[in-house]
Amino acid sequence: MCGIVAIAGKAPVNQALYDALTVLQHRGQDAAGIVTSDDHRLFLRKDNGMVRDVFHTRHMLRLAGHYGIGHVRYPTAGSSSSAEAQPFYVNSPYGITLAHNGNLTNSEALAKDIYRSDLRHVNTDSDSEVLLNVFAHELQIRGKIVPSIDDIFAAVSGVHTRCKGAYAVVAMITGYGIVGFRDPFGIRPIIFGERDTPAGKEYIIASESVAITSVGFRIVRDLLPGEAIFIDNEGNMHTRQCADKPVFSPCIFEHVYFARPDSIIDNISVYKARLRMGETLANTIRELHPDLEIDVVIPIPDTSRTSALELANQLNVKYREGFMKNRYIGRTFIMPGQGQRKKSVRQKLNPIELEFMGKNVLLVDDSIVRGTTCREIIQMARDAGAKNVYFASAAPAVKFPNVYGIDMPARNELIAYGRSEQEVCELIGADALIYQKLDDLIAAAREGNPDIERFDCSVFDGDYVTGDINESYLAALEVSRSDGAKRKVPQGPNLVDLSNGE
């Protein structure tokens, strides 16, 4: 999962891009990058690390220009090489830079096709570089010295024809403008906004609405599945549907875990969706465990707080903060390796013993993936004196890998894969385990936007909306995403910084 942003401004955009990326930092902590354009020249800074660590004053001063794009990354296949930090650049045609959130499911075949048919070289293992070269080729075959609006949208249509999977993209065509587009299923989020200035209207495109409002823009709307937006060098905005048969199928896990609660995605308030998840989870507890004695509801910070609060209200049980979080430890879900994740749990959370001592505690988390975190936390609750420890998940059991840009591991590393609810309960050491029902989760999200035809719920039900995922694909994915494979991934060479130095 990654975060993207692009700004077409009337004044320097370096600071606004930086500020937007800090707001999107929760979507990726592995690497960050910004590229700006000034007088047909590009200025790039990208490296491994958090936004605050990658960009220093000397870098910001070099990021000149009124147009630019930015990216925060976490790796979907385990590599932490700075060679795969984004944005990526290709010189032909025009000079194009691109940043991408998602995952191409036919990336390997496309990379071969790019070399054999398009005569283009891909320098990394990143599917984002593959996508960039596909877009560049589709634009180059138009054969124009100056690309028209129709040429740019036709190139996006070409991307939709050739690329499979999930992708939300921002790209900058040097000297001509900024492009944003979304895959025909709308799996990954992308939204745009605007603001008025004395010099004229400015535009922003980003992964989440909070990145728009936090830097002083007003939200216009989400891009539709298959739709593209182009802001030309004069500041004129154009949109067009570029896919033949778009099907609205956004990823429901954005509402469970990834998105910030103050975001609005596809007209759905993430905060309200999580409140509804807490309400339906409380109903499930009443239905399946009517005799469960609960003294206190405690969330596992931070993502589950909203659901846990509403669950406690519905059950008329005390809600308490039982864990204090060290905010200088990254999200354990995206730690590269099981050992590091396990070690980080106790560094990250510390229990308040008074909230546990002698009590029947219901812990609430957004989901259970590997089971590493919840197992450690349940033991921490017992060590703090809890009488009984029950565990509730605001999401259903995660039984299948994600192929659309979330680094959910190989099937045999998912604790619920091939196991019953009771078996999972015993493995994590809980006295009771309650999962959200899938129908309830879908209803909680869809209530915010009834126009959504379906959600991608593949991690829960194994139904991959793009229709191109089979057993052989999942088997190959399992090899690349296992923790063992991640430890063997070599570190690639650093790419040259276009801003001329550190």
Side-chain angles (χ1 to χ4, degrees), residues 26 42 54 72 77 123 165 183 211 238 253 276 289 322 328 332 337 400 414 450 455 479:
H26 62 286
L42 295 177
V54 170
V72 288
N123 193 52
D183 72 75
H238 316 267
F253 213 75
R276 292 189 289 267
H289 299 273
Y328 302 97
T332 54
F400 303 93
L414 297 168
F455 286 92
V479 173

Side-chain angles (χ1 to χ4, degrees), residues 18 86 128 141 165 176 191 206 230 282 292 294 386 430:
Y18 176 95
Q86 298 183 42
S128 302
I141 61 175
Y176 296 104
I191 187 170
F230 175 60
L292 207 63
I294 303 170

Side-chain angles (χ1 to χ4, degrees), residues 404-470:
Y404 300 128
I406 303 175
D407 191 27
M408 286 186 174
R411 285 170 289 187
N412 60 6
E413 294 175 11
L414 297 168
I415 194 169
Y417 177 69
R419 294 188 176 99
S420 67
E421 189 172 312
Q422 182 57 38
E423 288 172 327
V424 174
C425 183
E426 292 172 3
L427 279 172
I428 64 175
D431 295 297
L433 171 63
I434 306 96
Y435 279 114
Q436 182 86 260
K437 296 178 181 178
L438 181 55
D439 287 346
D440 287 342
L441 176 62
I442 293 171
R446 180 173 282 144
E447 186 174 330
N449 185 356
D451 293 334
I452 294 178
E453 299 170 34
R454 62 181 293 189
F455 286 92
D456 172 62
C457 302
S458 53
V459 297
F460 308 121
D461 60 12
D463 182 9
Y464 296 95
V465 296
T466 53
D468 59 336
I469 306 303
N470 54 32

Side-chain angles (χ1 to χ4, degrees), residues 67 94 145-147 152 173-178 230-234:
Y67 279 53
Y94 316 118
I145 295 177
V146 177
I152 291 166
I173 305 170
T174 309
Y176 296 104
I178 282 176
F230 175 60
I231 301 102
D232 63 33
N233 228 32
E234 302 301 318

